[in-house]
Amino acid sequence: MLERIGVAVTEVRQPKHLAHVERLIIPGGESTTIGRLMVLYELLEPIRARAQAGMPLWGTCAGAILMARQIADGKPGQPALELMDIVARRNAFGRQLDSFEADLLIDALGDAPMHTVFIRAPILEQPGPAVEVLAVLDDGRIVAARQNRLLASSFHPELTDDDRMHRFFLEL
Amino acid sequence: MDKSTWTTKAGLAQMLKGGVIMDVVTPEQARIAEEAGAVAVMALERVPADIRAQGGVARMSDPDMIQGIIEAVTIPVMAKARIGHIVEAQVLESLGVDYIDESEVLTPADEEHHINKHRYKVPFICGCRNLGEALRRIGEGAAMLRTKGEAGTGDVVEAVRHARTVMAEIRRLSSMDEDELFTYAKSIQAPYELVRSVAENRKLPVVNFAAGGIATPADAALMMQLGVDGVFVGSGIFKSGDPVKRARAIVQATTHYNEPDIIAEVSRGLGEAMVGINISSLPAGQLMAGRGW
């Protein structure tokens, strides 16, 4: 998606890779796995420091969990970045059989609804005063939020053809 | 709100990319796997090495045991059904597993037909040895693939053969003239639309892991360098001398598969690898990869 927009993309697996990037996306996956590897390869502190110094950071699904100040229904002691003033509830909709697609109106992205894909997705709760809620489900549960240059989304814009969320992140 | 769509089914596999999925037979092993950084676990009653050693008919696991593993971990849980056993698949769906593996490691229930996987809400993963087999399984509804290798041997040679075959056939297909696709689809017995899609995109339409014989961190990195999206480790971890250490090492080698220094570091002092069976010593009747049609 980013390459299609015309942005140069590189993978960050070790601290030395971090120096090459201006913005960072923490993708979907298993937050326990990503968190563990971040500790092992000493990425947790450098990413936290860069984000606190103003690097735009976007977490989707597992990435959003890692950015939250607190993880609900996680593994006890699960490592995380704890950057955003929000609580992420893991697997909030249930198991894979409860994964779903839905059309959401997201004001920040314009009038056309965004088609979104939720896979064993978390929800975001208890946003602090600095957090701007970007998207909610029909029942009011929060699925995207922003705090300055930090962006968190429960869904996966990379699994659709809609690049508006990616462009929004690139503008942060 | 639409549930169990093709996008959510194939999408879960996208989230597992770059990761390791481990065979576990108890909730305790599942916790060890999760702690080591596995992206999912495969719940089964006996690992393939024991199925080989003990013989008999290998079936779907006891629902109690699968339920116990589902409750023990927060990562996705997969479970195996016999090839063509539509009811075992229904039972696994009702238990709420996250993926069903229609697996040649179990004794096939149907020697002609695979499960029509479109009928299920839960996504399926299937094994393949070549592109034709891969696309037939996708045609039946598989949302994720794994190259078969030869399970329970600790010998990586078949995993390499199958991964190389699939990758080479994708490369060959990508260079074909549009007119040649029809005959190629016929020759590999694969649905034409899927053949066309692979030719256009130069890759499979679903995530493809490697399986069957991966026993060391270097084995896992080898498969990643050959171009698969992730690895399954079955008997290789819990049949080894130090499962905790080996599980962690294989996860790291899979993440950093292009970094020999890291693979060297994590490969130190892992204790005994699983004993292993040299595949060339196995009689044809004991090979599992040939099951599936």
Side-chain angles (χ1 to χ4, degrees), chain B residues 72 87 248 285:
Chain B
V87 174
R248 289 179 180 173

Side-chain angles (χ1 to χ4, degrees), chain A residues 21-70:
Chain A
V21 303
E22 292 166 4
R23 293 163 190 270
L24 184 67
I25 297 177
I26 306 179
E30 286 303 316
S31 59
T32 50
T33 306
I34 302 172
R36 192 188 141 65
L37 288 165
M38 277 184 172
V39 171
L40 214 52
Y41 288 89
E42 296 173 347
L43 271 164
L44 217 47
E45 278 307 323
I47 292 177
R48 193 180 285 144
R50 283 286 305 271
Q52 281 165 346
M55 174 182 71
L57 179 63
W58 178 13
T60 61
C61 198
I65 294 170
L66 291 162
M67 286 170 70
R69 112 174 93 82
Q70 192 193 324

Side-chain angles (χ1 to χ4, degrees), chain A residues 38-119:
Chain A
M38 277 184 172
V39 171
L40 214 52
Y41 288 89
E42 296 173 347
L43 271 164
L44 217 47
E45 278 307 323
I47 292 177
R48 193 180 285 144
R50 283 286 305 271
Q52 281 165 346
M55 174 182 71
L57 179 63
W58 178 13
T60 61
C61 198
I65 294 170
L66 291 162
M67 286 170 70
R69 112 174 93 82
Q70 192 193 324
I71 302 172
D73 296 335
K75 281 274 153 185
Q78 183 180 344
L81 293 163
E82 298 169 34
L83 281 163
M84 259 179 103
D85 191 6
I86 206 152
V87 175
R89 184 170 298 281
R90 278 187 79 193
N91 295 336
F93 300 93
R95 307 195 63 80
Q96 169 62 16
L97 285 167
D98 300 300
S99 294
F100 64 97
E101 299 180 50
D103 289 322
L104 291 185
L105 277 170
I106 304 175
D107 287 341
L109 303 183
D111 293 338
M114 170 127 181
H115 189 68
T116 51
V117 185
F118 293 78
I119 295 174

Side-chain angles (χ1 to χ4, degrees), chain B residues 192-245:
Chain B
Y192 168 74
E193 287 306 326
L194 290 171
V195 168
R196 193 187 170 87
S197 138
V198 173
E200 278 171 10
N201 300 307
R202 296 166 182 256
K203 59 177 186 152
L204 290 166
V206 301
V207 166
N208 180 33
F209 273 43
I214 296 159
T216 69
D219 287 349
L222 165 64
M223 299 315 299
M224 294 298 288
Q225 287 196 18
L226 290 178
V228 300
D229 296 315
V231 299
F232 279 87
V233 187
S235 322
I237 289 173
F238 290 101
K239 283 284 157 190
S240 75
D242 188 343
V244 173
K245 204 169 174 191

Side-chain angles (χ1 to χ4, degrees), chain A residues 13-14 16-17 28-30 32-33 36-37 40-41 73-75 90-91 95-102 115 117-120 137 156 158-159, chain B residues 1-5 7-9 11-12 15 34-39 70 72 74-77 93 96 98 121-123 248 252 255-256 259 262:
Chain A
R13 291 172 190 259
Q14 295 179 57
K16 64 182 181 192
H17 303 147
E30 286 303 316
T32 50
T33 306
R36 192 188 141 65
L37 288 165
L40 214 52
Y41 288 89
D73 296 335
K75 281 274 153 185
R90 278 187 79 193
N91 295 336
R95 307 195 63 80
Q96 169 62 16
L97 285 167
D98 300 300
S99 294
F100 64 97
E101 299 180 50
H115 189 68
V117 185
F118 293 78
I119 295 174
R120 287 170 50 94
L137 295 173
H156 293 282
E158 78 280 10
L159 292 181
Chain B
M1 188 187 285
D2 297 319
K3 287 187 178 184
S4 300
T5 61
T7 306
T8 65
K9 287 175 170 178
L12 175 57
M15 301 311 141
E34 179 176 47
E35 177 61 31
V39 292
I70 286 176
T74 61
I75 55 178
V77 176
E93 178 171 278
D98 297 297
K121 297 197 288 279
V122 66
R248 289 179 180 173
Q252 292 175 60
T255 303
H256 302 288
E259 304 276 352
I262 292 179

Side-chain angles (χ1 to χ4, degrees), chain B residues 152-270:
Chain B
T153 60
D155 188 346
V156 81
V157 66
E158 292 299 300
V160 168
R161 187 192 321 280
H162 299 155
R164 277 206 184 272
T165 301
V166 171
M167 299 301 168
E169 287 174 334
I170 292 172
R171 281 191 293 272
R172 200 173 313 143
L173 179 54
S174 306
S175 68
M176 277 183 200
D177 182 77
E178 207 176 328
D179 300 357
E180 295 171 320
L181 299 181
F182 300 98
T183 306
Y184 189 71
K186 188 178 79 177
S187 73
I188 65 168
Q189 299 174 51
Y192 168 74
E193 287 306 326
L194 290 171
V195 168
R196 193 187 170 87
S197 138
V198 173
E200 278 171 10
N201 300 307
R202 296 166 182 256
K203 59 177 186 152
L204 290 166
V206 301
V207 166
N208 180 33
F209 273 43
I214 296 159
T216 69
D219 287 349
L222 165 64
M223 299 315 299
M224 294 298 288
Q225 287 196 18
L226 290 178
V228 300
D229 296 315
V231 299
F232 279 87
V233 187
S235 322
I237 289 173
F238 290 101
K239 283 284 157 190
S240 75
D242 188 343
V244 173
K245 204 169 174 191
R246 186 167 293 266
R248 289 179 180 173
I250 290 178
V251 167
Q252 292 175 60
T254 305
T255 303
H256 302 288
Y257 64 92
N258 270 328
E259 304 276 352
D261 296 346
I262 292 179
I263 300 167
E265 194 52 43
V266 301
S267 299
R268 289 171 197 272
L270 291 183

